[in-house]
Amino acid sequence: MAQNIYDDPDFFAGYSQLPRQVHGLDGAPEWPVIRAMLPHLGGKNVVDLGCGFGWASRWMREQGAATVLGLDLSQNMIERARADTADTAIEYRIADLDTLDLPEAAFDLAYSALTFHYVQDFRRLVRVIRKALVPDGHFVFTIEHPIFMAAEHPHWIFDEEGRKTWPVNRYSVEGERRTDWFAKGVLKYHRTLGTTLNTLIGAGFQIRQVEEFAPTREQIQQVPQLTEELERPMMLIVSASTSIAGSASKPL
């Protein structure tokens, strides 16, 4: 079973105060990029892997999705999502993505935000998702960028001229990384960019688009703290499909 850090009281209290949890999708600067990579959702069946508070699940229903299944390991997350959702077409369940099974050809879109770096067996999960998607299904996800999470001690350092720099070490050594973030010993799994993309290809996905998120000038003007995100990619955003026919982007 994966580490359930989100049910740790200290972690959950700190996490709940993040702008993306207080303000929802509007508090996530990468959301416009993700939104442009999603297919049209009218009449589609969606699975939201690592649904958290349910922000994306509810948004997808607002865009016309027929059903949304939100899955999360954390009881805290699922309880909050259920409390904030009054829509019978959205179902939330507790699920461990490391042992997840899904019905075959049941979903048009699989979506996940900042969850897969907690999954140990990414290869197994990707193959489960591939089987669960219909022909011409879509798969869109975000993860912490491998450059961001590779270091054993990830934090800003300063060079001889005082410039802020992000360390990259042990990049090719894949596997466990433990960091202190709202709680000590948060467990994540580092995989290289090549491993991440090749795992998708090996499972039969066609890669449609890859973005290494960086804020726009307008976003930085509104939130100056985002300037440091230009120094290194914190987030990897990937769109894939189950057939070549799905390769054309269909922005909302």
Side-chain angles (χ1 to χ4, degrees):
M1 181 176 178
Q3 182 192 49
N4 188 4
I5 194 66
Y6 285 85
D7 281 346
D8 176 281
D10 293 335
F11 185 96
F12 188 73
Y15 178 82
S16 298
Q17 298 307 310
L18 291 174
R20 66 182 63 238
Q21 302 310 325
V22 174
H23 304 294
L25 301 177
D26 291 336
E30 74 278 8
W31 176 243
V33 177
I34 298 170
R35 187 176 58 209
M37 294 168 72
L38 292 169
H40 291 295
L41 294 171
K44 301 297 177 64
N45 297 309
V46 179
V47 59
D48 184 357
L49 302 153
C51 63
F53 289 174
W55 294 106
S57 294
R58 291 187 291 274
W59 181 87
M60 289 177 186
R61 273 286 291 154
E62 292 169 1
Q63 306 309 307
T67 65
V68 181
L69 173 61
L71 304 175
D72 204 287
L73 179 63
S74 165
Q75 182 175 343
N76 284 343
M77 294 291 191
I78 292 297
E79 288 180 352
R80 171 69 180 271
R82 287 172 176 166
D84 290 349
T85 302
D87 187 338
T88 57
I90 303 176
E91 178 184 2
Y92 296 109
R93 298 180 194 166
I94 294 175
D96 183 348
L97 298 189
D98 265 318
T99 58
L100 180 68
D101 284 315
L102 292 170
E104 188 170 344
F107 302 100
D108 301 284
L109 168 67
Y111 172 77
S112 183
L114 296 175
T115 299
F116 292 160
H117 45 265
Y118 297 112
V119 173
Q120 182 177 20
D121 195 344
F122 183 60
R123 181 177 179 274
R124 178 191 181 277
L125 177 60
V126 166
R127 292 179 181 275
V128 168
I129 293 168
R130 176 64 180 82
K131 291 179 180 179
L133 289 172
V134 300
D136 199 20
H138 291 77
F139 182 24
V140 178
F141 67 91
T142 71
I143 58 172
E144 288 186 359
H145 197 289
I147 287 177
F148 175 78
M149 66 178 303
E152 277 197 330
H153 303 289
H155 57 77
W156 292 109
I157 58 177
F158 295 87
D159 66 14
E160 294 80 358
E161 297 181 10
R163 293 175 299 193
K164 186 178 287 188
T165 302
W166 191 260
V168 178
N169 53 58
R170 301 181 71 241
Y171 181 83
S172 296
V173 182
E174 299 183 323
E176 290 189 9
R177 297 291 191 274
R178 290 188 179 270
T179 60
D180 295 340
W181 183 55
F182 297 132
K184 289 188 175 296
V186 178
L187 176 60
K188 301 175 184 179
Y189 295 92
H190 165 66
R191 288 173 288 270
T192 67
L193 180 61
T195 292
T196 301
L197 299 182
N198 288 330
T199 299
L200 297 175
I201 295 169
F205 280 105
Q206 303 289 330
I207 295 175
R208 300 169 63 230
Q209 190 174 349
V210 177
E211 296 290 343
E212 298 171 287
F213 173 74
T216 64
R217 181 179 301 175
E218 292 74 19
Q219 287 177 318
I220 292 172
Q221 288 175 344
Q222 294 174 4
V223 184
Q225 298 94 315
L226 288 175
T227 301
E228 68 180 21
E229 301 303 329
L230 299 176
E231 299 297 329
R232 50 92 180 98
M234 194 202 84
M235 196 176 305
L236 181 69
I237 309 173
V238 180
S239 172
S241 68
T242 57
S243 71
I244 296 176
S247 61
S249 178
K250 301 175 183 177
L252 294 169

